[in-house]
Amino acid sequence: MQLRGMVAAALTALTLVAALHSDESQVQSQLLNSELQWGTYRPNLYFGTRPRLPNSLVSGLMWFGLDDQRNWQRIRHSCELGDNLAEYGYSRHNGRDFGEQTMRDNDQGVEIKSTFVKVPGKLGGSWAVRFTGRTLNADTQGVSLVYYFGLEGNKSMSMAIKDDAAVIRGRTPELG
């Protein structure tokens, strides 16, 4: 009888420890999910961001050279073998809150560098992107960069110009 009570007490203690560990793991998992919510999660694009949520906000980069009227037909957006980029892909990326890459496009005469940084916070934190670039030869007339935002699914967003800055507003159930 006494052994049975000790076994029952030991099993209760193990159950309690497992439950506490489970709660701790769940909290850690939620923190990890929040930390990883935003990132460069748009495969097959030269550069793009999105949260790990379905039907949500997306952003990306497109560019084309200004030397030829037909260059807009060869706009760079998704990674295509025929684009013949001499270099693209992340040279440094920690998978969490930082990424840096160089996209060298000899055909369009430009080299573009992107930097992605993120700080923790509510709803996955805040993030910023910086693009710098240079023409590859003196004959290049210029390049048009297009950084876009969009909402997947049946949602809406609007843009207005205020104090010489674009203000984009939108709403999703998950992000607010």
Side-chain angles (χ1 to χ4, degrees), residues 4-5 11 14 24 29 33 44-45 91 93 96 104 119 127 131 144 154 163-164:
R4 185 181 288 174
L11 286 175
L14 282 174
E24 182 181 309
S29 176
N33 285 340
N44 198 42
L45 296 185
S91 54
H93 200 301
R96 183 173 299 276
R104 186 177 177 90
V119 294
W127 55 270
F131 297 104
S144 182
N154 192 15
D163 300 325
D164 293 331

Side-chain angles (χ1 to χ4, degrees), residues 90-105:
Y90 288 94
S91 54
R92 299 187 311 161
H93 200 301
N94 67 4
R96 183 173 299 276
D97 56 18
F98 176 79
E100 188 175 77
Q101 72 170 324
T102 300
M103 296 159 281
R104 186 177 177 90
D105 187 347

Side-chain angles (χ1 to χ4, degrees), residues 63 65 67 71 74 76 83-87 103-112 134-137 140 143:
W63 73 89
D67 291 343
N71 274 350
R74 297 190 314 249
R76 307 301 199 222
D83 287 349
N84 297 320
L85 263 68
E87 176 185 357
M103 296 159 281
R104 186 177 177 90
D105 187 347
N106 293 332
D107 291 348
Q108 302 281 359
V110 67
E111 179 181 274
I112 302 167
R134 66 181 183 96
T135 56
L136 296 175
N137 58 56
T140 301
V143 174

Side-chain angles (χ1 to χ4, degrees), residues 122-135:
K122 289 178 13 180
L123 300 174
S126 299
W127 55 270
V129 177
R130 178 180 180 187
F131 297 104
T132 58
R134 66 181 183 96
T135 56

Side-chain angles (χ1 to χ4, degrees), residues 28-128:
Q28 286 176 345
S29 176
Q30 288 172 346
L31 286 173
L32 181 64
N33 285 340
S34 177
E35 285 179 14
L36 296 176
Q37 184 167 327
W38 283 98
T40 54
Y41 305 131
R42 297 204 56 206
N44 198 42
L45 296 185
Y46 291 115
F47 183 87
T49 62
R50 69 168 296 129
R52 294 187 322 168
L53 298 168
N55 298 319
S56 195
L57 179 70
V58 297
S59 75
L61 175 70
M62 299 185 285
W63 73 89
F64 58 93
L66 300 176
D67 291 343
D68 185 332
Q69 293 178 7
R70 295 171 297 209
N71 274 350
W72 68 269
Q73 294 172 329
R74 297 190 314 249
I75 194 166
R76 307 301 199 222
H77 180 240
S78 61
C79 300
E80 303 293 337
L81 218 54
D83 287 349
N84 297 320
L85 263 68
E87 176 185 357
Y88 71 93
Y90 288 94
S91 54
R92 299 187 311 161
H93 200 301
N94 67 4
R96 183 173 299 276
D97 56 18
F98 176 79
E100 188 175 77
Q101 72 170 324
T102 300
M103 296 159 281
R104 186 177 177 90
D105 187 347
N106 293 332
D107 291 348
Q108 302 281 359
V110 67
E111 179 181 274
I112 302 167
K113 293 185 179 196
S114 72
T115 305
F116 171 82
V117 294
K118 184 173 65 172
V119 294
K122 289 178 13 180
L123 300 174
S126 299
W127 55 270

